[in-house]
Amino acid sequence: MTAPATPDTGEKDPAIRVRGVVNKFGETVIHDGLDLDVRRGEVIGVVGASGAGKSVLLRTIVGLNHQAEGSIEVLGRDVDRLSDDEREALRRHWGVLFQDGALFSSMTVAQNIQVPIKQFLDLRPDLLAEVTALKIALVGLPPDAAVKYPSELSGGMRKRAGLARALALDPDILFLDEPTAGLDPIGAAAFDSLIRNLQQALGLTVFMVTHDLDSLTAICDRIAVLVDKKVIVGTLSSLLRHEHPWIREYFHGPRARAAGADK
Amino acid sequence: MARNLIAFLGLVTIAIGRAIRHPRRIRVTAVIANMERSGFNALPIVGLLSFLIGVVLAYQGVDQLTRFGAEIFSINLLAVSMLREIGVLMTAILIAGRSGSAFTAQIGTMKVNQEIDAMSTLGLDPIEVLVLPRILALVITLPLLVFYSDMLGMLGGAIALMLLLDMSPTQFLIQLNSAIPMGTFWVGIIKAPFFAFAIALIGCYEGLRVSGSAESVGRLTTQSVVEAIFLVLILDAGFSILFSSIGI
Ligand SMILES: Nc1ncnc2c1ncn2[C@@H]1O[C@H](COP(=O)(O)OP(=O)(O)OP(=O)(O)O)[C@@H](O)[C@H]1O
Ligand SMILES: [Mg+2]
């Protein structure tokens, strides 16, 4: 194992460890020495102003964006020091749900779910069908959704289908980018409780970017706030007492009161 | 722009190398689906336009050459221009407009929809899954389409000439046979795979450049067609110089 260059002040054995990450696009610096630990088995909510770099942070951790500086460890492995095979193996341990599902539009829901399974496992056709049906049921989709194309589904169903694909390989970590955006409040609440139930049943670590204060209060164990190009992490109650102006505004504004955050 | 395109060409070349070493990684169903869309479905339009161009060439040739009493050489004019240049150029431009733009729009929409990101996180290489099948499909179909275009162009020209010059099909064929060597026909076809590669490469490249909004899909689709046609014409000029220097 490689010893960390900086003295370890963070969590013991976190699911995700981000150290000193710098991200910039041209001259614009998005993250500047960002540190973050995500504990195993927790639901962490990432909030921040629009354009603060929440999505970029998620994309950097899953390897869709490469940081200019800093290191990222997932499940104890430095993602930048892996061979192709090791990276492939590590990828099996996480699932990503993009906004609006990002289902492959030329495939049915069932085929979508089978893409990662076929990529990593060699299952018999009957077993494959069984696993697919199981995943569809797991996310609360009706069985007949299997043969539908993404364009035939509602936004909420597409997200559930995307979640089923993200869960296809029984990952340890689930990344969600604004999972409840664009859903009506009832649909959003149902999706929140689905994620909470799955997280508890499957022992997932959940990294969730969100704008939804209800989701934050309902299912997140801790909250990471992206301000000033870094994150401030805390529980809801500790962040309610934080004196940073943006955090105060966020948790004590009218919408926060409506969501019952600042009780 | 040019530098990024060359970098993309590098990535594609690496992927082609990998596909040659592991032929099982080639997505045969995707290749066939793309061959159907860009090749088979283009048959009516390519056929119709080639036929009409053949007729036009015949009329123009007869019109001009009659003044010198050399109207029989309209057959040479028709055969040389159709087989060497017009068949392949027109088909390539048509396919750039039809399939190159479709490649950009399809891949661009997938980009907007984050399907490409989803693919990468699942460990699938977008170049292997999306780009190679399209390139391969076009490189296979364009030469076939050019052959078809040549045949229909010659047919259109032949019908027009037989009517205008009051010839029998036999006379036409005899004159045609003495007018051009068999190689003329290959001079056109040999260019087709190169044009196809350029069209598919640009179409996919511009599609992958789409970022964020649906608006950029439209803009880059237009750009992809313009660039593809531009590149085809440059390549064609290059081939002309090459062929004349080796005396074909
Ligand atoms: N590929 C890119 N190229 C250039 N700039 C980018 C790129 N991706 C993101 N950015 C910029 O980085 C900044 C942060 O973007 P990001 O998508 O992470 O915001 P966000 O916090 O997720 O916002 P939102 O809540 O609106 O989704 C934005 O200013 C964006 O313009
Ligand atoms: Mg975002």
Side-chain angles (χ1 to χ4, degrees), chain A residues 125-176:
Chain A
D126 54 330
L127 215 58
L128 185 65
E130 210 169 297
V131 171
T132 312
L134 192 74
K135 299 294 170 186
I136 289 174
L138 191 66
V139 296
L141 282 173
D144 64 345
V147 293
K148 291 198 172 145
Y149 285 91
S151 56
E152 300 168 329
L153 300 176
S154 72
M157 289 169 90
R158 274 204 293 275
K159 284 190 189 184
R160 283 174 192 260
L163 187 61
R165 186 180 64 189
L167 293 173
L169 292 168
D170 301 321
D172 299 313
I173 309 177
L174 185 59
F175 291 92
L176 308 165

Side-chain angles (χ1 to χ4, degrees), chain A residues 50-51 53-56 99 177-178 209 211:
Chain A
S50 194
K54 305 181 291 293
S55 300
V56 172
Q99 202 168 335
D177 197 351
E178 307 202 18
V209 173
H211 275 304

Side-chain angles (χ1 to χ4, degrees), chain A residues 75 89-97 116 135 138 162-175 198-199 201-206, chain B residues 122:
Chain A
L75 301 171
L90 187 59
R91 239 185 234 127
R92 278 189 59 172
H93 294 281
W94 70 58
V96 187
L97 172 62
K135 299 294 170 186
L138 191 66
L163 187 61
R165 186 180 64 189
L167 293 173
L169 292 168
D170 301 321
D172 299 313
I173 309 177
L174 185 59
F175 291 92
L198 289 174
Q199 187 262 334
L202 307 173
L204 299 170
T205 304
V206 178
Chain B
L122 295 176

Side-chain angles (χ1 to χ4, degrees), chain A residues 12-233:
Chain A
K12 281 266 176 299
D13 193 27
I16 302 168
R17 173 180 287 157
V18 178
R19 283 292 176 274
V21 159
V22 176
N23 270 311
K24 45 188 150 189
F25 294 105
E27 294 292 286
T28 326
V29 178
I30 309 290
H31 302 133
D32 189 8
L34 185 150
D35 297 336
L36 175 66
D37 283 323
V38 179
R39 297 173 187 158
R40 287 184 193 242
E42 77 172 340
V43 178
I44 192 162
V46 180
V47 299
S50 194
K54 305 181 291 293
S55 300
V56 172
L57 178 59
L58 187 155
R59 295 171 62 84
T60 308
I61 298 174
V62 300
L64 289 173
N65 177 59
H66 203 266
Q67 73 269 22
E69 282 171 41
S71 69
I72 291 168
E73 275 177 36
V74 177
L75 301 171
R77 320 286 311 263
D78 186 331
V79 292
D80 297 309
R81 298 191 189 174
L82 298 179
S83 68
D84 287 350
D85 287 343
E86 287 171 321
R87 185 165 302 127
E88 190 94 326
L90 187 59
R91 239 185 234 127
R92 278 189 59 172
H93 294 281
W94 70 58
V96 187
L97 172 62
F98 293 94
Q99 202 168 335
D100 212 34
L103 296 171
F104 302 126
S105 44
S106 57
M107 297 181 181
T108 64
V109 169
Q111 287 168 336
N112 262 283
I113 297 170
Q114 288 165 359
V115 168
I117 304 178
K118 283 183 177 160
Q119 172 80 354
F120 290 103
L121 307 172
D122 200 10
L123 292 188
R124 291 202 319 268
D126 54 330
L127 215 58
L128 185 65
E130 210 169 297
V131 171
T132 312
L134 192 74
K135 299 294 170 186
I136 289 174
L138 191 66
V139 296
L141 282 173
D144 64 345
V147 293
K148 291 198 172 145
Y149 285 91
S151 56
E152 300 168 329
L153 300 176
S154 72
M157 289 169 90
R158 274 204 293 275
K159 284 190 189 184
R160 283 174 192 260
L163 187 61
R165 186 180 64 189
L167 293 173
L169 292 168
D170 301 321
D172 299 313
I173 309 177
L174 185 59
F175 291 92
L176 308 165
D177 197 351
E178 307 202 18
T180 54
L183 296 185
D184 67 83
I186 298 172
F191 204 86
D192 278 344
S193 59
L194 171 66
I195 289 172
R196 192 48 157 175
N197 291 338
L198 289 174
Q199 187 262 334
Q200 281 165 350
L202 307 173
L204 299 170
T205 304
V206 178
F207 180 103
M208 177 168 75
V209 173
T210 186
H211 275 304
D212 190 339
L213 278 155
D214 290 316
S215 304
L216 283 181
T217 53
I219 68 169
C220 292
D221 298 310
R222 289 194 307 155
I223 297 170
V225 191
L226 242 171
V227 282
D228 306 330
K229 305 179 171 54
K230 294 188 169 61
V231 287
I232 295 172
V233 189

